[in-house]
Amino acid sequence: MIRCARSTSTQRYRPAVWQLTALLEFARPGHVLYGSDWPYIKASGVDYFNNLYDGAPISDDTRAASDRSNAEQLFPRLATPPANRS
């Protein structure tokens, strides 16, 4: 079970962290992918959510899986480098 630390008087939980925590408790680990809404969101919005994600209380293995390896399992062509097009 994944838990967030309690907030202090100077910190508040951010909704995205709660949502990620709930998602990881509900979904199978291999079914979680991380991505952004770029180009439909401004770069500042992407940076905001990337910073929340970077600070989320998840293990390095979970982060690596949701960053790339889960997508490679779902879409095997992503795991293979493109052929040299020279």
Side-chain angles (χ1 to χ4, degrees), residues 15 32 46 53 57 64 79 86:
V32 177
V46 172
Y53 177 69
S86 54

Side-chain angles (χ1 to χ4, degrees), residues 33-56:
L33 306 175
Y34 181 74
S36 72
D37 286 334
W38 183 86
Y40 303 103
I41 188 172
K42 293 179 182 178
S44 60
V46 172
D47 290 341
Y48 173 78
F49 284 105
N50 284 343
N51 288 332
L52 289 178
Y53 177 69
D54 289 343

